Structure formats: structure tokens, C-alpha cells
Amino acid sequence: MVEHITGMLALIGVLSLLCQWLGWKFRLPAILPLLLCGLLLGPGLGILDPDAIFGDLLFPIISLGVAVILFEGALTLNFKEIKDHGRMVTNLVTFGAFITWACIAPAAHWLLGFEWPMALLFGALVVVTGPTVIVPMLRTVRPKSNLASILRWEGIVIDPIGAILAVLVYEYIAVATAADPTTHILFALGMTLLLGFGLGALAGYLIGIALRSNVFPHYLKNTAVLTIMLGVFVGSNLLQEESGLLTVTVMGIWLANMRGVDIADILEFKETLTVLLISALFILLAARLNSTAMLDLGWGGVGVLVVVLLVARPLSIWISGIGTSLSRADKWFLSWVAPRGIVAAAISSLFAIKLEAIGVNGASSIVPLVFLIIIGTVVIQSLTAGPWAKFLGVKADSSQGLLLFGASKFSRELAKVLTAKQVKVVLADNNWDNIRQARMANIPVYFGNPASEHAENFMDLSGIGRVLVLSPYRQLNPLVSFHFQDLFGSNKVYGLNNADGGSARHQLSESYLKRLCLFGESISYAKIASYMAKGAVIKVTNITDNFTFEHFKQRYGETAMPLIYLTKDQKVKIISGTEINELPVGIELISLLPKEAQEQDIIQRNLAEVTEHEDANEQDDSGETVANT
């Protein structure tokens, strides 16, 4: 028996990894292979029975897992960022969420016969979308950057908001079921809200103070926050049953909005934890589904799915879009893209177990209906969103924006020039000081590893089509390069040749070096950094019929370093290769001019002035010589 349980746990871990890899490989939301895997192992083949394996531990495992998921989601809810991402996002996560809820709950009541409390709970559960399903879909569809940004930020922000709504509805149902007297219901619900908001805010504030004061050593910070969060969750539940989920959600929101508290490392740690946690949890939840549960929903379940797709979402978009600059085509596209994800599945399964335990009618139908909505929205919209975007004319043109990994002084100066030329640029770096200086220059940034799971969900790559690896991190550069070659294609990622000298064990492989010719084969990060330290500048030069690239080389000498050029139709061309002999006319050339090139420019200008003066000293029409003043 022990060997069987051990084998099942190992199998779940291996299959979780495999499903995540399949989602990445085929550009699909990982939730799809996870769901299929759970259904196959559970109701399909009968191999995996979570209740038999975990017994009484299943409920605590799911409960703690959902707490971690909600806490991580709440850490991303920064109120400033909601304001920064436009009126449409703000409307969608407030009015839009309420409209969606108000449409879906009556549909569950009238089409499936759910009692009103259960219908309201179901409506709250399927309000959320989530970045784990939105981001892979956006990569495949590639809509216009403003639409991609709206959908991405809606998915990020609405996770904790929808979770709070669902938790509040659940708390009311649980309290109302447990106690008949109205005063008892109001007292219990009041205690839940008081503990949730009061204890959550207090715990968030105290952890924020501890982080800001460096109470924990760096290596203990992430572990301490996770442990304290779980302790607060359990403590809240002991003080008032089922108040813990609201408490940890409020706790995460407080931390996310507290000034002077850096939660980037915590988010990165939680991201690693939740990838495995969510994957394993979702396989377990899918394996618990009854093989006939979805079929038993009948046409009523299909009707609810139709309301979700064709009524709730379009109504939410068109009302939220009032007063915005979105076109009709933009709104029609947004009306079709709202896949549901892991948060809905995890919370619904947890609530179903709890409500069944206290004998609430209809609790057993919640999970299959939520899974039906997840499968329907993800599958249908994944298959049709691309053609729909093309039909509406909202697909993005070839993305000309650049992601620069490495936010050194050179990268910041290059980003300033490109931004001034209306080219979208995002700087990514692990060095906080570099990121801080880029932010002060109003350059869009991402602090962290751009190849991380967190970056996939939260780094805005809308409008970005190519990557320039300009960092000094030799171990991380290949990882970032290969990651974005898989994402954009091998011909869209450029890197510097940093393998300048050293023993063979420190050299990069030939297969990697063949991909590195950014700005020329002899150009390395060390060379650029040396030029910048000695006063190099980035300059924009118009290459014309009268001033060709040959004139440019004569003017600035051999040390001038051409970087990028912009064509007349605003196409961005990266200069790479072994040697640049010629460039077309009619372009704007962006180049790095070391100190020597600037001095060469001064010499050439002085020679030109001398020539002009000599021409001025030639005889005029009367044969007299003009005086050289």
C-alpha cells in the first residue's frame, strides 16, 4: 500500500512536469493537458483515486494549495498598476465583473435549477480568467498590442477580485447553513469579514515592516513569508471557521500595495512553487470528477456555457467600453476572449468539498459545471480566436519592438533613442540599480529573469518581436537566448559575442556562437562597456544619396559602430554579421560613436571648414581675390 501511494505521488509529479512541457511546446494553456491527464487517470482508466490515496489529508492539501494560489494572485494586485493600464481594465475588473456575475448566476438558476445561493456562488467562481490561460492564447493569436495588454492585465487583476467575491458568497452560504437564527448568521458573517480584512491587513502590514527592516536574512525571506502566510491562514480558520481564504487574500493585497516593500523575490519563489502545486492540484481535481457528472448536466449545462460565451462576456465588454477609445472591431474581439482557468477549478473543488460536508443541496454539481465552462471556453476560444482576430482586422502587424536583456548605460541610452523614434522597447535586468535608472528615464522595464514563468505571465511583450541579449551574465545569456528563440524563432534573437579569450572550459559552444553576431563578430559586452565609460555616445545619422554609408565611415573612422537602422516605412533592422560594407540610402542609422570616432568627426569637420574657406578665397567674377577673413 505504501509503495502504491509513493508511486502515485511520483507519477503525479512526473505527469505535472510533462503536461507543463506539452503546454509550452504546443503554445497551449497548460490547463488543457493537465485536465486531460487527470480525466484519463481518474474516471477514464481508474488508475488514480485521490480520495483513496490521501484520505483525510486530501481536504487539508487542497485547502492549503488554494491558500497559496490566492495569496500569490493577491500579491499581483497593485492598485497603481490598475490605474496605469487604462480605463478599460479598471472597468472590466469592477463593472465588468459584476455584469458577468449578474448574467451567469441567473442562467445557472433558471437553466439548471440551482438554488439562488449556489447559483450566485457559481457565478462568482467563473468571473475570473487568469494569466495562465490568457498569455499562451495571446502568443498564438497575436492581437494588437493594446488589446493584448487589456486582456493580460484583466486576467492578472481579476484573479484576486473574483476570488474575494467567491469567498464572500461562500462565507454567507456556509454561515447561513450552519445557523438558523438571523442574528447568529449576521454575527458569524461579520466575524468572517472582520477577521478577513482586519487580520489580513494587520498580518500584511507586519510582514511588510519585517521585510522593509530586513528582519529575515535573504535566504530565509521567501520561506518566512510562506510559512507565516500558512500560519495566518490556519489561525484565522481557528478563530472563525472558513475565514482563512479571505484573510490571506487581503494579506497579499496589502503587501502588494505597501510602499518600500520589494516583493519581486517572493513572487519569483511563489511562481516556482505554484507551477508544481497548481499542476499536481489540477490533476488531482480532474481525477475526482465523476465520469458521468458533466453528461448529467445535459442541455442545461450547454445553455449556461452559451450564456457565458455569447451573453455575459459581450455585455461586459460593451458596457465597460463606454467612453473608451476602443473601436467596434476591438470590442468584438475582446467579447470573444475570456477563457477560465485554474483559480476557478481549485476554489470550486475546495468549496464543493466543504459544502457537501455540511449538506448543502447542489454542491456536487458545482465542480462539473465549472470544469465544463473551463473546457468549453479554453478549447473553443483557443481554436477560433486567431481566425476571429484576422476577420476583424485586429491582428498585430510584424512586431517591430525590441526586448533588451541587460539595462546597462548603453542599453538605456539606446532605448531612449529608439523610444524617441516611436519604437517600443522593454528593458529587462536582474540588477535593481540598472532597472531603477531606466525607470527614472521613463523606459518600460521588467525586473527579473525574462525567461522565468513570472515573466511569461507579467512581462508585457505586446508589440515586441525581437530580443537583443546585452547583459554581462554569461551563464544566464544562453538561457534567455534559447528561451526566446523557442518563442519568437531563432532569427529573432541576437546576442553579443562575449567569448573573448579564456580557456576552453569557459568558452561557449560553437552552436551558440553561430547565433551571436550582434553589431559585428568582434563586438563584446566588455568592449561596449569600455567605450561607454570613456564617453561614447549614441547618434542618429540620416544616410542619403549625398551622405552615403561610405561617407559615414570616412567621417567617423573605423571605430564607429553601426547598431540599428530604421527604414522609411518604420521597419527596424538589426545590424549583425562579420563585416558591414554597405547600407541602403533613405534610412536613419543609429550608431555608437566612441571617443576616437568623435575626435575623427571633429577633424573631418575642421578639414571641411578649411576647404570652404579655400574655395571662398578663389577669384570672383571681376578677377579679384576675396579676402580670407
Side-chain angles (χ1 to χ4, degrees):
M1 184 61 182
V2 174
E3 289 78 8
H4 174 70
I5 294 175
T6 305
M8 285 294 103
L9 291 174
L11 178 64
I12 292 171
V14 172
L15 291 176
S16 299
L17 176 63
L18 177 62
C19 291
Q20 288 284 349
W21 180 83
L22 288 173
W24 164 79
K25 184 67 176 177
F26 296 103
R27 306 287 191 268
L28 293 171
I31 196 171
L32 273 181
L34 288 168
L35 176 61
L36 294 175
C37 180
L39 291 174
L40 181 64
L41 291 179
L45 300 176
I47 297 174
L48 178 61
D49 184 356
D51 293 277
I53 293 174
F54 294 100
D56 293 338
L57 287 176
L58 181 62
F59 171 75
I61 288 172
I62 295 175
S63 183
L64 292 175
V66 171
V68 173
I69 292 170
L70 289 182
F71 181 65
E72 187 202 25
L75 285 174
T76 66
L77 184 53
N78 190 305
F79 295 127
K80 180 179 179 297
E81 289 181 341
I82 299 177
K83 296 177 183 178
D84 289 346
H85 287 84
R87 182 176 177 181
M88 186 63 182
V89 174
T90 306
N91 290 348
L92 276 177
V93 300
T94 51
F95 305 119
F98 179 79
I99 293 166
T100 303
W101 184 37
C103 289
I104 296 174
H109 174 69
W110 288 320
L111 295 176
L112 286 170
F114 278 23
E115 294 182 4
W116 275 113
M118 295 304 297
L120 290 171
L121 177 60
F122 168 72
L125 287 168
V126 293
V127 159
V128 298
T129 53
T132 55
V133 284
I134 286 289
V135 172
M137 191 177 294
L138 292 178
R139 286 192 195 129
T140 304
V141 177
R142 301 188 71 84
K144 292 191 301 186
S145 60
N146 65 321
L147 300 181
S149 180
I150 288 170
L151 288 171
R152 195 174 62 87
W153 278 101
E154 179 200 7
I156 292 170
V157 173
I158 206 170
D159 258 2
I161 291 177
I164 290 175
L165 179 61
V167 168
L168 291 176
V169 175
Y170 165 76
E171 302 294 357
Y172 175 78
I173 295 173
V175 170
T177 305
D180 292 331
T182 304
T183 54
H184 195 131
I185 294 174
L186 293 176
F187 174 79
L189 187 60
M191 281 295 296
T192 298
L193 295 176
L194 180 63
L195 273 174
F197 287 97
L199 181 59
L202 178 63
Y205 173 75
L206 292 177
I207 291 180
I209 292 295
L211 292 175
R212 200 159 57 189
S213 305
N214 294 316
V215 171
F216 306 111
H218 183 74
Y219 75 95
L220 277 182
K221 184 166 66 173
N222 294 331
T223 307
V225 172
L226 175 64
T227 307
I228 293 171
M229 182 274 294
L230 293 176
V232 170
F233 170 72
V234 174
S236 181
N237 279 339
L238 291 175
L239 293 172
Q240 176 61 46
E241 193 174 357
E242 312 307 345
S243 64
L245 292 177
L246 180 60
T247 301
V248 297
T249 304
V250 173
M251 178 179 164
I253 294 173
W254 190 281
L255 266 178
N257 292 275
M258 191 169 175
R259 289 185 178 180
V261 178
D262 181 16
I263 60 172
D265 289 342
I266 299 172
L267 273 172
E268 188 172 353
F269 171 70
K270 293 291 186 301
E271 141 210 328
T272 305
L273 178 65
T274 51
V275 167
L276 179 60
L277 184 64
I278 287 175
S279 302
L281 193 61
F282 204 64
I283 290 177
L284 290 173
L285 297 177
R288 292 187 76 249
L289 281 177
N290 189 300
S291 56
T292 59
M294 289 190 197
L295 296 176
D296 290 342
L297 295 172
W299 290 107
V302 176
V304 173
L305 176 60
V306 170
V307 170
V308 171
L309 291 172
L310 302 181
V311 178
R313 180 62 175 181
L315 196 60
S316 169
I317 291 295
W318 285 85
I319 293 178
S320 299
I322 295 174
T324 65
S325 59
L326 294 175
S327 66
R328 286 178 173 269
D330 294 341
K331 292 175 183 176
W332 279 121
F333 174 74
L334 294 174
S335 297
W336 187 241
V337 181
R340 271 54 177 184
I342 186 64
V343 172
I347 299 177
S348 66
S349 299
L350 176 63
F351 288 171
I353 294 174
K354 292 183 176 183
L355 293 174
E356 286 175 2
I358 58 177
V360 176
N361 292 331
S364 59
S365 300
I366 281 280
V367 175
L369 185 56
V370 168
F371 273 76
L372 175 64
I373 301 302
I374 291 172
I375 295 171
T377 54
V378 172
V379 173
I380 294 172
Q381 293 175 359
S382 293
L383 294 175
T384 58
W388 184 235
K390 187 175 182 180
F391 172 77
L392 293 171
V394 297
K395 284 185 76 73
D397 298 327
S398 58
S399 300
Q400 296 298 307
L402 301 175
L403 169 65
L404 275 56
F405 176 49
S408 63
K409 182 179 179 181
F410 168 74
S411 297
R412 297 195 299 270
E413 294 301 319
L414 179 59
K416 289 178 187 177
V417 173
L418 290 168
T419 302
K421 296 296 180 180
Q422 308 303 313
V423 177
K424 181 172 180 178
V425 179
V426 175
L427 291 182
D429 204 318
N430 288 326
N431 185 303
W432 172 248
D433 188 59
N434 285 345
I435 291 295
R436 180 183 59 80
Q437 293 186 62
R439 278 181 174 171
M440 291 175 64
N442 294 318
I443 302 169
V445 297
Y446 176 77
F447 176 50
N449 178 4
S452 66
E453 181 78 16
H454 182 268
E456 288 188 15
N457 291 333
F458 299 104
M459 184 170 61
D460 185 6
L461 290 180
S462 55
I464 301 295
R466 278 162 293 182
V467 179
L468 307 187
V469 181
L470 300 169
S471 89
Y473 316 127
R474 293 192 178 218
Q475 286 75 28
L476 194 54
N477 285 346
L479 174 65
V480 173
S481 296
F482 292 139
H483 173 79
F484 285 102
Q485 283 166 11
D486 290 326
L487 188 61
F488 293 140
S490 59
N491 61 334
K492 301 291 185 180
V493 180
Y494 303 81
L496 296 168
N497 183 358
N498 288 328
D500 45 0
S503 63
R505 72 179 63 192
H506 297 296
Q507 296 290 328
L508 297 173
S509 67
E510 285 297 321
S511 61
Y512 179 64
L513 282 175
K514 287 177 182 177
R515 306 169 194 253
L516 301 179
C517 283
L518 180 58
F519 310 145
E521 197 173 71
S522 62
I523 307 302
S524 65
Y525 176 85
K527 193 172 198 176
I528 292 176
S530 175
Y531 283 156
M532 295 300 294
K534 295 176 181 177
V537 297
I538 294 178
K539 181 179 178 64
V540 180
T541 307
N542 289 315
I543 303 299
T544 64
D545 291 322
N546 295 325
F547 190 84
T548 64
F549 184 58
E550 190 62 33
H551 293 128
F552 173 87
K553 291 193 290 186
Q554 291 175 3
R555 168 69 64 86
Y556 297 108
E558 295 299 323
T559 59
M561 187 189 304
L563 307 172
I564 295 170
Y565 66 87
L566 309 177
T567 64
K568 292 179 180 179
D569 55 354
Q570 292 302 302
K571 299 292 184 184
V572 180
K573 302 293 184 181
I574 312 297
I575 294 176
S576 62
T578 55
E579 186 177 355
I580 304 109
N581 294 317
E582 192 57 58
L583 290 176
V585 297
I587 63 170
E588 291 182 282
L589 176 62
I590 301 172
S591 56
L592 178 68
L593 301 182
K595 200 70 174 176
E596 296 85 350
Q598 298 172 52
E599 293 170 353
Q600 175 74 9
D601 179 35
I602 294 172
I603 293 172
Q604 292 295 325
R605 290 181 185 276
N606 289 337
L607 288 175
E609 289 178 4
V610 170
T611 302
E612 289 177 3
H613 285 303
E614 289 177 350
D615 291 341
N617 285 330
E618 292 181 353
Q619 291 184 343
D620 61 11
D621 292 341
S622 62
E624 297 178 348
T625 301
V626 179
N628 186 359
T629 55

